[in-house]
Amino acid sequence: MAKRKVIFDSDTASDDTIALMLASDFFEVKGVTIVAGNVKFENEIRNALFTLEYSGLSDIPVFVGSNRPILGKWRTVEEVHGKNGMGDWKISEPTKKPESEHAIDAIIRLSKEYNGELEILAVSPLTNLALAYLKDHDLVKRIRKVWIMGGAFSKGNTTPLAEFNFWVDPEAANIVVSAGFDITVVPWEVTEESATIYDNEWEKIEKLGNRRSEFFINVNRVLREYSKSVGSKGSVHPDSLTVSIAYDNSLALSYVYKSISVETCSDSRGAMLVDWYNQFKDRNSIQIVLKADEKKFKQYLFDYLSRA
Ligand SMILES: O=c1[nH]cnc2c1ncn2[C@@H]1O[C@H](CO)[C@@H](O)[C@H]1O
């Protein structure tokens, strides 16, 4: 069966790189679009280029997108991903270069080329997608599906209420979730519950001793330390889980269809509001994953890492 066609939208650092590798295995990746978020923008671009080169995927184009959120100030989180966003692993300078076409134009062009087929894997702040939509509203009709890693029900990883991707650009998140796209959102708590790699699993990956496992261990070393320092039981892999759910929706064990909005004010900025009781009748519903299949996710991940 032909692989589904996707764009991988990413603020490439640590788990984003593994998610990109999985995506290239599961899907036909038509392009990687870079957006401001996790670490210094130049490093995000370099990390995406390096990951593709390392994986023998140099033919996948990288498009540079927005280097800042639409409105707000944000901070990068090198403490989570390492100074270079690759767990402080000293990566070589990639020879591959990004394309000259802007990410927003690439999203619009590819959505026309693969009208009704193209899906977006957004494991990042939603700035690029929001801007593409603002430039061309008909994008909604051409994009088959948008998979989003973002939002928190109450346990924010960046502020008490906000998950990082929604917090970086809540204005963009609001534009995207209310535009009318067919959306699945995988919130932070779901990923912490089902996409945490525990010590015994980490050691198992380390023991594989191949190119892919070496990459995994190196890029996620700082993520693991950081995750543990804030109370998680291992390294948390939200982007890899989201890509796996996109590939196999049966990984979404429990979900609801509700509308959401994203707070844009002061201390609650980036918070996800779920309309649990359907009080806002005119808003479009999206799929919100409540529980994911940890076992199946880890099978996909280990299978990929073992096949190096
Ligand atoms: O503490 C963190 N753990 C895991 N991922 C994080 C963290 N901080 C920022 N991100 C980034 O934001 C999303 C998850 O909120 C992921 O897309 C990841 O790239």
Side-chain angles (χ1 to χ4, degrees):
M1 213 170 64
K3 285 183 174 176
R4 286 151 59 196
K5 297 174 178 64
V6 300
I7 286 178
F8 186 82
D9 191 42
S10 161
D11 49 343
T12 322
S14 63
D15 182 47
D16 289 68
T17 65
I18 306 301
L20 172 54
M21 288 174 157
L22 288 175
S24 68
D25 201 46
F26 296 156
F27 303 100
E28 196 177 322
V29 181
K30 289 292 173 191
V32 176
T33 50
I34 308 294
V35 68
N38 276 319
V39 294
K40 220 169 136 215
F41 198 60
E42 291 70 24
N43 284 334
E44 295 182 355
I45 300 168
R46 184 182 306 127
N47 297 342
L49 295 168
F50 175 80
T51 302
L52 292 172
E53 218 163 75
Y54 187 96
S55 312
L57 300 164
S58 293
D59 51 329
I60 296 178
V62 171
F63 303 96
V64 177
S66 185
N67 66 358
R68 49 156 279 192
I70 291 175
L71 193 59
K73 286 205 180 81
W74 93 112
R75 65 178 167 81
T76 54
V77 286
E78 275 79 5
E79 68 273 23
V80 178
H81 307 287
K83 210 163 166 20
N84 63 355
M86 297 291 267
D88 291 332
W89 182 28
K90 289 196 177 38
I91 61 169
S92 55
E93 196 59 39
T95 52
K96 181 176 167 59
K97 298 278 178 264
E99 309 298 308
S100 57
E101 186 181 19
H102 194 280
I104 293 161
D105 296 318
I107 291 171
I108 293 171
R109 176 178 54 80
L110 288 165
S111 75
K112 288 177 181 166
E113 272 174 51
Y114 304 104
N115 193 347
E117 274 186 84
L118 192 68
E119 301 176 46
I120 311 270
L121 304 174
V123 295
S124 53
L126 292 164
T127 321
N128 283 342
L129 192 51
L131 292 174
Y133 166 73
L134 291 181
K135 190 166 182 183
D136 179 357
H137 279 36
D138 287 341
L139 189 66
V140 170
K141 295 186 208 140
R142 297 191 302 267
I143 295 290
R144 183 175 169 197
K145 177 88 197 183
V146 181
W147 305 89
I148 297 172
M149 191 286 125
F153 293 108
S154 61
K155 210 177 151 198
N157 63 4
T158 304
T159 74
L161 279 176
E163 176 280 332
F164 184 75
N165 290 336
F166 277 19
W167 174 82
V168 169
D169 201 338
E171 282 79 14
N174 262 324
I175 291 168
V176 171
V177 299
S178 60
F181 289 107
D182 183 346
I183 294 177
T184 293
V185 161
V186 184
W188 167 253
E189 291 94 330
V190 174
T191 74
E192 194 190 27
E193 187 187 45
S194 298
T196 297
I197 296 296
Y198 303 108
D199 286 349
N200 63 323
E201 294 162 336
W202 180 271
E203 283 156 23
K204 215 172 115 189
I205 293 171
E206 212 164 16
K207 283 208 188 90
L208 289 173
N210 62 37
R211 259 174 80 74
R212 285 181 183 175
S213 72
E214 193 187 326
F215 187 102
F216 181 96
I217 297 293
N218 282 326
V219 298
N220 291 310
R221 216 183 283 278
V222 176
L223 175 69
R224 179 178 184 231
E225 280 164 25
Y226 177 84
S227 304
K228 285 182 165 187
S229 77
V230 293
S232 300
K233 296 193 171 72
S235 58
V236 186
H237 298 265
D239 301 337
S240 296
L241 176 63
T242 302
V243 165
S244 303
I245 290 174
Y247 176 61
D248 179 355
N249 209 213
S250 77
L251 264 68
L253 289 179
S254 163
Y255 52 83
V256 286
Y257 280 89
K258 300 286 171 194
S259 76
I260 67 168
S261 56
V262 184
E263 271 289 353
T264 53
C265 292
S266 59
D267 281 357
S268 59
R269 199 171 157 74
M272 176 172 74
L273 308 186
V274 181
D275 184 9
W276 292 107
Y277 293 112
N278 309 317
Q279 284 150 341
F280 296 129
K281 304 258 180 274
D282 54 333
R283 297 192 185 172
N284 58 290
S285 295
I286 62 176
Q287 184 187 40
I288 308 166
V289 177
L290 302 177
K291 187 164 178 49
D293 191 329
E294 177 175 356
K295 216 169 139 212
K296 262 195 189 169
F297 163 63
K298 289 181 178 174
Q299 269 166 9
Y300 278 125
L301 180 67
F302 279 92
D303 174 63
Y304 175 81
L305 295 174
S306 310
R307 267 189 285 121

